[in-house]
Amino acid sequence: QKIKQIIYDLKLENSVKLAGYVIRDEKLQLLESAKIFVLPSYSDVHPASITEAVMMGIPILATKNCDYPEIEEYDVGIIGEPNVDFIYEGLQKMLTNEKQLNLFSNNTKRLIKEKFNIPIEKLEHMFIYAIKNKARK
């Protein structure tokens, strides 16, 4: 309620959405409309939500507790301490520098290609291997 009141007081109702738990189509719609993806976590380790955002070409602002080194390695966003100052400064940097934001977004393509794109032949080989080994047992 406190955060909702701050959003209202700052007249940000049209710019900020507190989504809560979302799945499937609603998640895709939110990601498609996002300019950046922010995950201020204290404990997530390599969260799937960051991967989903990257797959959509969205720049990332995350705390280092997320343990997602590809953010810096591929320059797709900013990583920092899990505190209000970092989140505020990160949002300021990202939202006031369209050129940097576009660079982060463009870099997601290389990250996807090099880390998350599994060729169909490799998938086929994995399934055949698994089926053969299951048949032997």
Side-chain angles (χ1 to χ4, degrees):
Q1 288 306 100
K2 206 174 197 181
I3 292 172
K4 287 180 182 178
Q5 186 62 47
I6 292 169
I7 292 168
Y8 178 78
D9 291 345
L10 296 173
K11 297 177 177 38
L12 295 173
E13 304 92 337
N14 295 326
S15 300
V16 175
K17 179 172 175 136
L18 300 174
Y21 182 75
V22 294
I23 59 172
R24 297 185 188 93
D25 291 345
E26 185 180 6
K27 184 192 313 184
L28 287 175
Q29 289 172 346
L30 288 170
L31 287 171
E32 283 178 342
S33 67
K35 192 166 193 158
I36 60 174
F37 182 83
V38 182
L39 186 58
S41 177
Y42 285 105
S43 62
D44 285 328
V45 176
H46 216 276
S49 59
I50 290 179
T51 303
E52 291 168 340
V54 166
M55 298 293 254
M56 300 290 287
I58 303 168
I60 307 297
L61 177 66
T63 52
K64 64 182 180 180
N65 302 56
C66 291
D67 191 28
Y68 210 104
E70 293 88 353
I71 294 170
E72 287 181 317
E73 181 183 343
Y74 285 84
D75 197 25
V76 298
I78 302 172
I79 298 177
E81 296 297 324
N83 60 50
V84 173
D85 290 335
F86 163 71
I87 299 299
Y88 176 78
E89 290 168 14
L91 286 169
Q92 285 287 344
K93 281 181 188 175
M94 292 177 86
L95 294 173
T96 59
N97 188 342
E98 196 69 32
K99 186 177 179 183
Q100 183 64 53
L101 207 55
N102 288 333
L103 178 65
F104 287 151
S105 184
N106 289 335
N107 288 342
T108 62
K109 293 175 184 80
R110 188 169 59 92
L111 169 56
I112 293 164
K113 183 179 178 184
E114 292 179 12
K115 291 280 186 162
F116 301 120
N117 190 15
I118 302 173
I120 191 70
E121 299 82 22
K122 192 171 186 179
L123 283 174
E124 183 180 32
H125 176 74
M126 287 183 343
F127 281 113
I128 290 170
Y129 178 81
I131 291 167
K132 284 181 180 178
N133 282 327
K134 179 68 175 170
R136 289 182 193 157
K137 292 183 179 184

